[in-house]
Amino acid sequence: MPAMDPTISVSKGCFVYKNGATRAGKKASSKRKHSVGSSSPSNLLGTEITGQPFYETYNQTWRQISSHITDLQQRSYARTLDQLVEFVVSQDATDDLLPTAALLTGINQPDHLSQFDALTRRLHDQRSAQVCVLQSRDCSTLKAAVESMVFGLVEDDGGEELGEEEEDVAERDRKRLRRSQCTMKQLKSWYMNNFSSERKPYHLVVILPDFECFSAGVLQDLILILCAHCDELPFVLVLGVATAVSAVHGTLPYHVSSKIRLRVFQTQAAPVGLNEVLEKVLLSPKYAFHLSGKAFKFLTHIFLYYDFSVHGFIQGFKYCLMEHFFAGNAFALCSEYSRALSRIQQLTHTDMESIRRLPSFRPYVEGINDCKRVIAILTDDEYLKKKLPQLLRDCHIHFLLFRSALEFLTELVCDLPRCPLGKLRRELYVHCLNRPLASTSEFKECWQMLSFLSRDEFVGKVKRSLEKVESFLTEEIAPLELGESCAAVLRPQLVEIRRALDEVIEASMTPVTASISEDTRLPSTDISQVASRQELKAQLLQRSKEDKHRQDQRQPTSEFARALQKTLRLIETNLVLDNLRCLQDAPPLHELFVFNDIATVRRNIIGAPRAALHTALNNPHFYLQCKCCELREQSLLVSTLPDLSVAYKLHLECGRMINLFDWLQAFRSVLNGGDDENEESNQEQIDPQIQARFTRAVAELQFLGYIKMSKRKTDHATRLTW
């Protein structure tokens, strides 16, 4: 009889072959992670997608933006991490109090888990601590908290790269340690065996990233246990506090708080971090991709009114980036100017037609007076390709000028009373893109406030704005490919504004009364001849306007007031009207650089679960795409629909109270297709299988929240939605 295959068994099971295999070391895992990260793009997309120009441009743009955001965020909380590491390393083991750091992270905890990961890596790099991160979901009881803490500290490899033999020993030691053996006695024994006296104190850091989510009793007992052993084990406790320090004092009574030495660390607030990301990355002139005012405002409103998650905002921006580039290869032109020029010849006829369908292309064609050129642009792809370099150049320079003028105007109006246009650059960005800025009431209010400023205040404000633009041109615009062209357009405008400002400085404050010539005087109305009260009212209103006009003409003016008004007019003309134009007045083909599909973003980022559930239950074919669920009309009921869908559509026909027996009869009638010959006589004899299917469908509807069982009437359900 042949020998049985060792993997054949009467019962199902898993067969493990050790073959001398050892646990993958940190070096191997890091190599594997590096190889995965440096491999080709995601396997979810085939080469027919990843090889397209639009995908290459998207991938390159996102990598640059993501790397820029990562570097900015690391620099933003590097100072706090340095202070935390210094606090941990400087602790003395002879102190009887438990050193505790309270890190005020803000209300969005998942956003700040990266900070605790960075703290763990920093401590591992210095090889000065073993780190354990305890989540509240793993510490429902004190026993579970202690086991998780001990297991996490023992399992922490400290970031060290061990040899193969040491890894085998560590792996065997770990396998001998079960959760039930994770006690403070075991931790003390492990610490004494692994760390020699000359290396002490090698701190044991316990991090609680979601302090407020812990049970108060479990947290108090855990801290008391750590305090009882801190003379032998150098514990350091780090608390991630989402609200305020008062939450720590409110959770820990005096007999617990008196045993810890608390130090508070403040991280950067989420709105401040978002403003840094927006102003230094997403609004940076080095990137050709831009968000429209509506899309920009939509993403910021989600952040401010929903979750305060910078990570969520970045993912929303990434979705907008994907939607923009995945519209076709024509959008691969949204890149650096030289790279866009190299991609023009790769465009196909379909890509050229997508360019012709852009909303701004029609006004461009209508502005051409030559019929032959119009026909060539609309029909000849090669002719249009010759025109694209100049059109793309105009768009690039427009957005560079827009960004530079935005710096000037932000500095000019950010600290005005009540801040009509906002005090942040992102607020002014939305105002400028959505509608013509000079025609808004907010802009007129700002200009009126500027005209009321004293000489020193006005001159200082305009000088700071000019210095801001000059530094922006030198640091941000000059290194770019079209930076010189942008500066050549903007600098003459700034010189003209500077000359007008010199006139303001030298102008006299002596008032001058403007004389009124005889021919400019308005005729006064005669109210002696009136026929009715309505005519009297109209004539009095007219006379009040005439008096106001005469008063304005006699209002004394000065050289300073005239020079100030001239400066404001120059700023409005040269910067606001010329450079801060809304999207409707932007150059042709600006849609290649601006994402404006707000409806798609709203539909995919903000879910509508109620509408989705109704669609799924009322018309399952919308999601299942199967022929058996296909309906000619959504109101139809067929037996091939899922049981839950049948029960849902039947319950829509009922009122507030649903009789379960009548519901069951209707359910059976639908499943049988209405073919019961003796339906009235067999109402009491229901197929148990149909009844079971109905019971399950009702339970599912109750779980989804559409009904609940009624306590007022027997065998009735209450409908919860209308």
Side-chain angles (χ1 to χ4, degrees):
M1 183 176 178
M4 180 179 291
D5 190 338
T7 59
I8 296 177
S9 173
V10 176
S11 62
K12 297 180 180 179
C14 297
F15 299 89
V16 181
Y17 293 90
K18 300 233 358 147
N19 294 331
T22 59
R23 184 179 69 89
K26 182 176 180 61
K27 186 182 293 185
S29 63
S30 64
K31 289 181 180 179
R32 183 166 56 253
K33 292 178 181 178
H34 179 72
S35 63
V36 171
S38 61
S39 61
S40 59
S42 175
N43 293 330
L44 295 175
L45 301 176
T47 55
E48 67 277 1
I49 297 297
T50 57
Q52 295 292 329
F54 76 86
Y55 185 83
E56 295 176 2
T57 308
Y58 155 74
N59 201 21
Q60 180 187 13
T61 305
W62 171 244
R63 285 185 177 181
Q64 292 176 352
I65 294 176
S66 179
S67 176
H68 196 172
I69 292 175
T70 302
D71 295 340
L72 180 65
Q73 289 180 333
Q74 288 179 353
R75 291 196 302 269
S76 65
Y77 54 74
R79 181 180 177 182
T80 304
L81 288 182
D82 292 339
Q83 295 175 352
L84 265 175
V85 172
E86 182 182 357
F87 172 78
V88 172
V89 175
S90 63
Q91 297 305 315
D92 190 0
T94 59
D95 198 346
D96 295 334
L97 299 177
L98 175 66
T100 305
L103 182 62
L104 303 181
T105 58
I107 62 173
N108 191 275
Q109 289 285 1
D111 244 20
H112 300 282
L113 290 178
S114 58
Q115 296 191 19
F116 295 109
D117 294 338
L119 173 63
T120 302
R121 290 193 301 269
R122 189 76 63 86
L123 293 174
H124 283 170
D125 293 340
Q126 296 189 3
R127 299 187 177 183
S128 59
Q130 296 284 109
V131 184
C132 171
V133 180
L134 291 181
Q135 298 283 352
S136 59
R137 61 175 179 268
D138 301 326
C139 304
S140 56
T141 62
L142 179 62
K143 183 175 182 295
V146 173
E147 290 178 352
S148 299
M149 180 189 69
V150 175
F151 189 80
L153 291 172
V154 174
E155 287 291 318
D156 186 27
D157 58 5
E160 299 180 357
E161 296 180 359
L162 306 176
E164 293 184 2
E165 295 182 0
E166 294 177 345
E167 288 176 1
D168 293 341
V169 174
E171 181 69 17
R172 288 196 297 270
D173 292 343
R174 262 188 287 272
K175 288 184 177 179
R176 293 194 191 103
L177 186 63
R178 298 188 298 271
R179 283 288 180 140
S180 59
Q181 297 174 328
C182 295
T183 59
M184 297 301 297
K185 181 179 180 181
Q186 180 68 33
L187 179 63
K188 188 184 303 183
S189 174
W190 167 82
Y191 184 82
M192 296 302 175
N193 293 334
N194 285 274
F195 303 105
S196 56
S197 58
E198 60 268 20
R199 291 188 63 184
K200 293 180 182 178
Y202 195 83
H203 299 91
L204 303 178
V205 180
V206 181
I207 300 177
L208 310 181
D210 48 351
F211 169 79
E212 284 91 349
C213 297
F214 275 80
S215 171
V218 173
L219 190 61
Q220 295 170 16
D221 294 340
L222 179 63
I223 292 177
L224 291 176
I225 291 176
L226 297 181
C227 294
H229 294 84
C230 66
D231 56 342
E232 298 175 335
L233 298 175
F235 283 112
V236 177
L237 185 62
V238 179
L239 306 177
V241 183
T243 52
V245 187
S246 58
V248 179
H249 299 294
T251 304
L252 305 180
Y254 176 75
H255 72 278
V256 178
S257 60
S258 61
K259 297 183 180 298
I260 65 175
R261 186 174 69 255
L262 183 65
R263 181 176 174 184
V264 180
F265 297 88
Q266 178 72 51
T267 61
Q268 190 180 52
V272 176
L274 178 68
N275 290 333
E276 281 192 355
V277 171
L278 293 179
E279 297 181 1
K280 297 183 180 180
V281 181
L282 303 188
L283 295 181
S284 175
K286 67 175 64 175
Y287 302 114
F289 175 77
H290 304 276
L291 288 176
S292 68
K294 293 181 179 179
F296 196 90
K297 187 176 181 180
F298 174 74
L299 293 180
T300 53
H301 277 198
I302 292 178
F303 172 84
L304 294 173
Y305 300 116
Y306 283 85
D307 52 13
F308 267 97
S309 173
V310 178
H311 176 73
F313 181 92
I314 295 172
Q315 294 304 310
F317 174 81
K318 184 179 180 181
Y319 179 81
C320 295
L321 193 70
M322 287 190 296
E323 283 287 337
H324 181 75
F325 282 102
F326 275 65
N329 285 330
F331 292 85
L333 300 177
C334 179
S335 61
E336 296 85 357
Y337 183 62
S338 58
R339 187 181 295 273
L341 294 181
S342 64
R343 294 189 184 278
I344 289 178
Q345 296 303 323
Q346 302 177 8
L347 299 176
T348 63
H349 175 71
T350 304
D351 301 330
M352 302 305 294
E353 287 298 321
S354 64
I355 292 177
R356 293 186 177 100
R357 286 193 295 268
L358 295 176
S360 63
F361 188 78
R362 179 174 179 177
Y364 166 69
V365 175
E366 292 175 349
I368 301 175
N369 296 325
D370 191 355
C371 297
K372 293 182 179 180
R373 291 173 54 196
V374 172
I375 295 174
I377 286 179
L378 294 177
T379 59
D380 190 355
D381 293 344
E382 295 301 325
Y383 183 81
L384 181 57
K385 288 181 181 180
K386 293 179 182 179
K387 294 293 182 181
L388 282 180
Q390 183 61 39
L391 295 175
L392 296 178
R393 186 177 185 276
D394 293 342
C395 288
H396 278 282
I397 294 180
H398 165 74
F399 287 113
L400 293 180
L401 292 172
F402 181 92
R403 187 64 181 85
S404 303
L406 187 67
E407 288 289 321
F408 182 95
L409 193 61
T410 303
E411 186 66 28
L412 188 66
V413 303
C414 65
D415 56 351
L416 292 177
R418 299 192 304 274
C419 301
L421 289 174
K423 55 184 176 180
L424 299 176
R425 192 171 287 104
R426 59 176 174 83
E427 297 174 335
L428 195 58
Y429 176 84
V430 173
H431 275 290
C432 295
L433 284 185
N434 281 344
R435 50 181 176 166
L437 185 65
S439 62
T440 61
S441 59
E442 295 86 354
F443 177 82
K444 295 177 181 178
E445 184 179 355
C446 287
W447 244 233
Q448 187 177 17
M449 291 180 184
L450 290 172
S451 64
F452 292 157
L453 295 178
S454 65
R455 185 201 303 267
D456 295 338
E457 291 177 336
F458 181 80
V459 172
K461 186 179 286 292
V462 177
K463 280 187 175 181
R464 288 194 301 270
S465 302
L466 290 171
E467 293 172 359
K468 187 77 172 179
V469 177
E470 289 291 346
S471 63
F472 185 79
L473 287 175
T474 304
E475 298 173 3
E476 299 290 340
I477 301 297
L480 301 180
E481 191 173 1
L482 297 175
E484 295 182 0
S485 301
C486 173
V489 176
L490 190 60
R491 288 191 190 279
Q493 299 175 346
L494 299 179
V495 170
E496 194 174 357
I497 294 174
R498 192 173 283 108
R499 289 175 182 171
L501 187 63
D502 293 338
E503 295 180 5
V504 174
I505 298 175
E506 298 173 357
S508 172
M509 299 290 293
T510 304
V512 178
T513 304
S515 60
I516 306 175
S517 59
E518 293 295 332
D519 55 348
T520 59
R521 293 180 181 176
L522 296 176
S524 64
T525 57
D526 185 14
I527 62 173
S528 59
Q529 304 295 331
V530 291
S532 63
R533 297 178 63 181
Q534 286 77 10
E535 291 183 10
L536 177 62
K537 181 179 179 181
Q539 291 189 11
L540 289 175
L541 182 61
Q542 180 65 24
R543 175 167 288 190
S544 66
K545 291 181 181 180
E546 294 171 2
D547 294 341
K548 184 177 180 182
H549 182 74
R550 294 191 185 97
Q551 224 174 19
D552 292 341
Q553 285 188 326
R554 295 192 185 96
Q555 186 177 4
T557 60
S558 62
E559 292 183 6
F560 165 73
R562 292 173 182 174
L564 187 144
Q565 292 296 332
K566 179 182 177 182
T567 306
L568 289 178
R569 283 197 301 269
L570 281 176
I571 294 174
E572 180 179 355
T573 303
N574 293 349
L575 295 181
V576 178
L577 295 179
D578 291 349
N579 300 329
L580 290 176
R581 290 177 286 171
C582 61
L583 285 182
Q584 290 82 354
D585 301 330
L589 309 188
H590 67 269
E591 291 89 354
L592 296 176
F593 302 88
V594 181
F595 177 78
N596 196 26
D597 191 3
I598 186 65
T600 302
V601 180
R602 181 182 289 109
R603 183 171 61 251
N604 290 280
I605 290 184
I606 296 184
R610 182 172 181 178
L613 278 174
H614 174 76
T615 303
L617 297 177
N618 193 50
N619 185 21
H621 177 74
F622 183 82
Y623 292 105
L624 299 179
Q625 296 296 317
C626 58
K627 294 183 179 180
C628 60
C629 297
E630 190 172 1
L631 301 175
R632 295 190 305 273
E633 297 180 5
Q634 293 189 8
S635 59
L636 293 179
L637 268 170
V638 295
S639 59
T640 55
L641 290 175
D643 294 344
L644 179 59
S645 179
V646 174
Y648 175 80
K649 301 186 77 168
L650 288 173
H651 112 284
L652 292 178
E653 301 174 358
C654 302
R656 184 171 180 272
M657 302 298 295
I658 307 175
N659 189 302
L660 292 178
F661 183 77
D662 296 340
W663 196 3
L664 173 58
Q665 294 294 336
F667 182 82
R668 183 185 67 166
S669 176
V670 173
L671 294 188
N672 293 334
D675 295 335
D676 291 347
E677 297 179 355
N678 300 323
E679 185 175 353
E680 296 182 359
S681 60
N682 296 332
Q683 284 186 354
E684 301 296 333
Q685 300 176 0
I686 299 176
D687 187 358
Q689 184 177 2
I690 293 179
Q691 186 171 0
R693 292 167 62 181
F694 172 77
T695 303
R696 179 176 179 177
V698 171
E700 290 173 348
L701 283 177
Q702 185 176 2
F703 175 76
L704 292 173
Y706 286 100
I707 62 170
K708 71 174 182 179
M709 293 298 112
S710 175
K711 296 181 180 179
R712 295 183 179 181
K713 300 180 69 175
T714 308
D715 298 334
H716 278 71
T718 304
R719 183 178 171 185
L720 300 179
T721 58
W722 295 92

